[in-house]
Amino acid sequence: NEKIFINKVIKNKKFTDGEFQKKCKVLIQDLIKSNCIEMTQSCSSGLEIAMLLINLKQGDEVIMPSYTFTSTANAVLLRGATPVFIDVSLEDVNLDFKLVEKKINKKTKAIILVHYAGISCDMLSYLKLKKKYNLYLIEDAAHSFLGKFKDRYLGTFGDLGAFSFHETKNFIGGQCGALSINNIKFKKKATIILDKGTDRSLMGNKKKYYSWQGIGSEYRSTEFSSALLYGQLRNYKKIYDTRKIIWNEYFKNFSKIKSKKFSLLKSDNKLKKNAYHIFAFIFKNLKIRNKFISYMRKNNIECYFHYYPLHMSKFGKKYKKYNLTNTEKIYNGLVRLPLYPSLSKLEIKNIINTTQKFLKRI
C-alpha cells in the first residue's frame, strides 16, 4: 500500500497539502475520536505549535520529566520560558504525580506529560490538577499512539496532544507527526500558525487574497510522509496486534523470573491500555545493564538503553532545580528489547531464550 500511495503522489504532482495529508487527518481524527487533528512534520513541530497556542513566554515555567527527548524541553525554550524537571516514578517512568503538585507555583503555566513507552500517566489525577490550578495540560504522546486511559485515547485528554510518526515509532511517515487540538478555542489560531501565519485556509470565497495574521511556520507534513503513514494506518489493527503479541510474550516469560537485580515496566491494567511501543528492563545498576547489552550483542541481538536525562547533559544542567534520583536510576538501568512487527517467531524465541539465560545468571 505504501508504494502504491507514494507512486500516486508522484502521479498527482501534488507534494504539499494534498490528498494524503487530508486522508491521514480524517482517519486519525475518526480513529482516536479527536476534536481536531492537524498533520505536522514531527512531534517536535506539534509541541512547538502547542507552546505558541498557549502563548508561552519569558518568565513562564513548564513542568516536565527530564527523562524524555530534547524536543519536549526545546519547545519550551524556543518561547523563552523555563523547563522545570520533576522526577519520575520507578514503576512506569512517568512523572511522579505526588512531586508535581508540590512544585506548582505562580510561574507554572503548563505541565507536559510524556506517556513513556506507550503507558499512560494517571490522567484522572492530572485533569484534577489542571482544573485546581488553572494550568494547561499538554500530552507528549510520541510513544503512545493508540494507547488509552480508561476508554479514551491518549493525546485527547489535555488541551493539546502531540504524536510522533518518526521512523522509530510504531507507525511511520519517515519524519511525520500530528497535533490533536482538544481545546477547541485553539483551532482557528492553530490553522493560522500552520499556514505560516496567514489566513489562507480561513478565506473561503470572500477574499481574493490572504494576508499575514501572526506568527507561523512550515509545520505541515508533506504528501510523501502522509502517503507512507496512510498505508500503515489503513492496516493499523494488524500492526498494533502484532506488537501486542510480542510485548505480551516477553512479559509472560520474564515476569516469571523473580529477582532483585531487575524489574519490568508495569503492564496493562484496568485503567491503562498500552500502546506497546517499548518493552524495557530496568536493571539494578549500570554495570549489570552494560553487561546485558554486551551479552546480547555477542549473541547477535541488538538492545539499547534510552534517553540520557536532560538535566545531566552539559546544556541541561543549568535547568536542574531538584534532585532527580529515580530518573538517574532509570537511566542507569533501563534497556529495551527489539520490538517490531517483522520479527519472526524464531527470532522472538531466540531473544527470549538468550535473555532468560542472562537473567538466571545474574
Side-chain angles (χ1 to χ4, degrees):
N1 278 343
E2 289 92 327
K3 288 179 182 178
I4 291 167
F5 296 148
I6 287 169
N7 283 330
K8 193 173 180 184
V9 172
I10 296 168
K11 187 179 177 182
N12 289 346
K13 298 181 181 178
K14 177 73 174 170
F15 304 107
T16 59
D17 303 340
E19 173 189 351
F20 290 102
Q21 186 193 94
K22 292 183 180 71
K23 282 184 171 181
C24 279
K25 170 186 164 80
V26 171
L27 197 157
I28 294 170
Q29 208 163 272
D30 291 345
L31 185 59
I32 67 170
K33 297 174 177 60
S34 167
N35 284 327
C36 176
I37 287 289
E38 294 289 356
M39 299 306 299
T40 61
Q41 290 180 0
S42 60
C43 185
S44 303
S45 298
L47 291 169
E48 288 173 27
I49 296 164
M51 298 306 111
L52 281 166
L53 288 171
I54 66 171
N55 194 29
L56 194 68
K57 55 188 183 300
Q58 193 170 1
D60 293 336
E61 292 183 350
V62 179
I63 287 172
M64 67 178 68
S66 168
Y67 199 70
T68 183
F69 192 57
T70 54
S71 297
T72 318
N74 281 337
V76 172
L77 291 171
L78 283 166
R79 306 310 328 145
T82 304
V84 177
F85 299 128
I86 304 297
D87 212 357
V88 296
S89 162
L90 290 172
E91 290 184 344
D92 59 11
V93 197
N94 288 329
L95 274 178
D96 188 329
F97 174 77
K98 293 172 188 174
L99 296 177
V100 169
E101 184 165 16
K102 292 175 184 177
K103 306 306 181 188
I104 293 171
N105 59 49
K106 290 179 181 179
K107 291 182 178 180
T108 308
K109 189 157 189 178
I111 300 170
I112 300 180
L113 299 176
V114 178
H115 304 295
Y116 184 79
I119 299 170
S120 174
C121 297
D122 180 357
M123 296 312 300
L124 285 178
S125 297
Y126 282 108
L127 288 171
K128 288 177 185 175
L129 210 60
K130 167 184 163 57
K131 187 176 181 181
K132 182 177 178 180
Y133 294 98
N134 193 27
L135 299 170
Y136 288 112
L137 197 60
I138 314 296
E139 292 176 83
D140 181 337
H143 293 186
S144 51
F145 184 69
L146 298 184
K148 282 184 174 182
F149 182 83
K150 294 184 79 174
D151 58 350
R152 238 169 108 183
Y153 285 98
L154 301 180
T156 67
F157 284 89
D159 295 279
L160 300 148
F163 298 104
S164 175
F165 302 114
H166 185 267
E167 69 172 8
T168 58
K169 299 302 188 293
N170 296 13
F171 301 89
I172 67 168
Q175 286 195 354
C176 189
L179 180 68
S180 180
I181 302 166
N182 310 317
N183 187 334
I184 214 68
K185 77 174 186 179
F186 291 130
K187 189 174 179 181
K188 182 178 178 181
K189 188 178 177 182
T191 302
I192 290 169
I193 291 168
L194 285 154
D195 279 334
K196 280 78 78 180
T198 74
D199 58 357
R200 184 181 65 179
S201 298
L202 304 172
M203 284 170 51
N205 298 318
K206 294 177 182 178
K207 287 185 180 179
K208 292 182 180 179
Y209 60 88
Y210 57 84
S211 62
W212 189 19
Q213 300 290 313
I215 292 175
S217 191
E218 183 60 89
Y219 287 125
R220 293 190 192 275
S221 62
T222 67
E223 273 297 276
F224 281 125
S225 293
S226 301
L228 179 58
L229 177 62
Y230 185 66
Q232 289 156 76
L233 292 177
R234 286 272 299 266
N235 202 26
Y236 79 89
K237 197 172 187 310
K238 183 179 178 182
I239 294 171
Y240 178 86
D241 287 347
T242 304
R243 296 185 73 95
K244 180 180 179 179
I245 288 165
I246 298 168
W247 197 100
N248 283 332
E249 191 67 18
Y250 285 159
F251 190 82
K252 181 182 76 174
N253 281 277
F254 303 135
S255 60
K256 293 174 184 176
I257 303 171
K258 304 303 176 187
S259 171
K260 293 182 180 180
K261 300 288 182 68
F262 74 91
S263 61
L264 301 174
L265 291 188
K266 271 191 171 182
S267 63
D268 283 0
N269 60 35
K270 290 179 181 179
L271 291 179
K272 301 177 183 181
K273 180 185 174 186
N274 203 333
Y276 305 107
H277 178 54
I278 287 169
F279 186 93
F281 290 100
I282 303 171
F283 289 104
K284 189 177 180 180
N285 56 50
L286 185 63
K287 186 178 178 181
I288 300 174
R289 186 197 80 179
N290 288 344
K291 275 186 177 180
F292 176 72
I293 292 172
S294 177
Y295 177 81
M296 297 297 277
R297 190 169 288 159
K298 283 176 184 175
N299 286 278
N300 300 312
I301 300 166
E302 286 290 348
C303 295
Y304 298 95
F305 59 90
H306 211 184
Y307 304 125
Y308 187 76
L310 299 180
H311 77 278
M312 289 171 62
S313 67
K314 186 178 178 181
F315 182 76
K317 281 179 182 177
K318 66 186 94 170
Y319 302 109
K320 182 186 174 184
K321 289 176 70 175
Y322 308 110
N323 289 327
L324 303 171
T325 309
N326 287 350
T327 300
E328 290 172 21
K329 280 183 182 177
I330 295 290
Y331 163 67
N332 285 327
L334 191 142
V335 61
R336 299 169 290 157
L337 288 188
L339 177 57
Y340 46 91
S342 59
L343 282 171
S344 68
K345 288 182 180 179
L346 188 63
E347 286 171 326
I348 295 165
K349 187 177 180 181
N350 182 42
I351 291 166
I352 290 170
N353 289 341
T354 308
T355 303
Q356 284 175 332
K357 285 177 186 175
F358 179 88
L359 296 178
K360 288 172 182 177
R361 279 172 28 185
I362 60 173

